[in-house]
Amino acid sequence: VSLKQTVLYDFHRAHGGKMVGFAGWSMPVQYKDSHISKVHGKDRIKFMESLVVADIAELQDNQGTLTLFTNDKGGIIDDLIVTKADQGYLYVVSNAGCADKDSALMKSRLAEFKAAGLDVDLEFLDQALIALQGPSMSRVLQAGMKEDLGKLTFMTSALATVFGIPDCRVTRCGYTGEDGVEISVPLSRVVELSEKLLANSEVKLAGLGARDSLRLEAGLCLYGNDIDDTTTPVEATLVWTIGKRRRQARDFPGADIIVPQIKAKTARKRVGLLSTGPPVRQHTPILSPDGKVIGEVTSGCPSPCLKKNVAIGYVEAAFAKNGTAVQVEVRKKAVPAVISKMPFVPTNYYTGN
């Protein structure tokens, strides 16, 4: 008997779902390690801080922070959000595309901690993440929640029943630069929640193309494009993710390389670029006014909001100042561009009324 496929069939397969028949439908019975996890135990903060650059200890209950897994050379293994849940665990969301290496990293550190007699445990969750983003988000979602979304500010999180589905975690964050939430929902009910949200005519499905132009307009890094294990947080202008206490203690992976870079500066730096004319894409060379190659674009697209091209790239530090005139080489032709402040489009994060 041929099984029917839900709208999320390809999504489940892409995320490592092992598909089986259930009531005539092809559904995921299990996943390879998820990119959503919980860290339990009284040494959970010490454990997490042994892997990331953030000051996790200083987070308030149900507050989250963007942080970075770093390696001993100071490179970025992944970017992730860590939330200090008031239920006594840390809630960790990393990039789905990095799930395998991130879970291997966490498991290997877990084994070290356990061998040293420390109290920590790791639980990977069978949950999916739905990002509901944009100015109407609050009105749409409030209809399905009893918790007051007015009290849920940017980078804070709450466990809630959403449109009748229990055990969802709603976090006021996202990767669009707009107000929004990411909803972690049990896998068995992700289709149901998606359909309940889409029942509101204000809610539209958005593909990765829309997400990419939005995050670029907001000047946000995409792992694998703008940051990777060869870029340091200082080169990537992500110094703000490194906790002050952590800088002083130099007790995160790669600290002996990263911390001195904060004062000494780096040879190259991540910048924003604006140009008109043909669109600028990844790997486009960035040239000085006299035509010398000074860097490379790591992400770029036409901006629907600005009607110009926006791009992120790395240039030699001497050219990194906002307002610096440079060129980009598009189809063997040098096109004028200017180093620009990010975000290109002002962000609309909700910080409370």
Side-chain angles (χ1 to χ4, degrees):
V1 185
S2 74
L3 295 169
K4 296 190 293 248
Q5 295 178 358
T6 73
V7 290
L8 292 169
Y9 175 82
D10 291 335
F11 169 91
H12 291 309
R13 290 295 305 271
H15 289 78
K18 182 182 170 196
M19 310 303 284
V20 297
F22 178 78
W25 291 83
S26 177
M27 296 297 283
V29 62
Q30 69 186 76
Y31 271 73
K32 61 182 185 189
D33 284 338
S34 157
H35 63 116
I36 306 172
S37 58
K38 288 180 183 176
V39 184
H40 302 274
K42 66 173 192 301
D43 294 312
R44 62 189 180 276
I45 289 172
K46 187 177 181 180
F47 169 80
M48 209 63 219
E49 287 192 349
S50 76
L51 295 167
V52 302
V53 299
D55 187 339
I56 305 296
E58 72 158 9
L59 291 174
Q60 303 296 309
D61 278 352
N62 299 317
Q63 183 190 13
T65 184
L66 179 77
T67 186
L68 309 168
F69 285 131
T70 46
N71 63 30
D72 293 338
K73 295 192 172 72
I76 300 168
I77 297 169
D78 197 9
D79 58 327
L80 63 153
I81 291 177
V82 179
T83 300
K84 189 195 269 185
D86 65 356
Q87 291 81 17
Y89 56 81
L90 299 176
Y91 173 74
V92 180
V93 179
S94 58
N95 281 304
C98 296
D100 291 348
K101 69 172 180 179
D102 291 350
S103 63
L105 176 75
M106 292 172 84
K107 285 173 176 174
S108 129
R109 186 56 48 94
L110 180 72
E112 290 170 25
F113 266 60
K114 284 198 175 292
L118 293 163
D119 176 21
V120 63
D121 269 299
L122 195 51
E123 175 191 2
F124 290 96
L125 304 184
D126 280 338
Q127 298 214 303
L129 215 54
I130 294 176
L132 185 66
Q133 303 281 306
S136 312
M137 178 283 296
S138 192
R139 190 168 65 246
V140 168
L141 192 60
Q142 191 62 75
M145 281 177 69
K146 63 175 195 296
E147 292 77 5
D148 178 6
L149 283 170
K151 296 197 172 101
L152 193 74
T153 53
F154 183 57
M155 294 306 285
T156 63
S157 179
L159 275 179
T161 295
V162 181
F163 286 101
I165 299 168
D167 304 319
C168 293
R169 181 170 282 280
V170 180
T171 306
R172 196 89 174 228
C173 69
Y175 228 57
T176 61
E178 294 301 314
D179 183 22
V181 292
E182 288 187 346
I183 307 167
S184 169
V185 56
L187 276 176
S188 58
R189 303 191 72 175
V190 64
V191 177
E192 182 189 343
L193 180 55
S194 305
E195 285 169 348
K196 283 181 169 170
L197 290 168
L198 287 163
N200 185 320
S201 62
E202 284 196 75
V203 178
K204 304 276 185 277
L205 286 169
L208 289 174
R211 207 284 300 259
D212 203 45
S213 61
L214 284 160
R215 69 97 192 164
L216 258 170
E217 289 177 339
L220 301 171
C221 292
L222 178 64
Y223 191 83
N225 281 41
D226 312 303
I227 48 175
D228 60 29
D229 55 12
T230 68
T231 49
T232 72
V234 183
E235 291 175 323
T237 61
L238 294 172
V239 171
W240 62 270
T241 63
I242 309 171
K244 284 204 176 77
R245 171 177 65 83
R246 307 301 309 277
R247 291 179 208 189
Q248 281 154 2
R250 291 198 183 194
D251 59 351
F252 55 87
D256 288 340
I257 290 166
I258 294 166
V259 175
Q261 284 184 351
I262 298 173
K263 279 210 173 81
K265 305 290 184 267
T266 52
R268 60 173 189 158
K269 195 177 165 200
R270 183 174 70 93
V271 293
L273 293 141
L274 283 175
S275 70
T276 50
V280 179
R281 302 287 183 197
Q282 189 182 15
H283 304 309
T284 298
I286 304 170
L287 314 173
S288 64
D290 60 4
K292 179 170 88 70
V293 175
I294 54 166
E296 186 178 86
V297 169
T298 50
S299 289
C301 72
S303 159
C305 290
L306 299 177
K307 310 287 183 254
K308 290 178 183 168
N309 302 312
V310 294
I312 290 173
Y314 285 80
V315 296
E316 292 172 14
F319 296 91
K321 200 163 177 265
N322 291 332
T324 304
V326 293
Q327 306 180 86
V328 282
E329 190 184 297
V330 187
R331 300 189 201 113
K332 305 272 184 257
K333 242 172 80 179
V335 178
V338 63
I339 304 291
S340 299
K341 187 162 131 307
M342 295 182 282
F344 301 105
V345 175
T347 54
N348 287 311
Y349 303 129
Y350 175 73
T351 51
N353 291 335

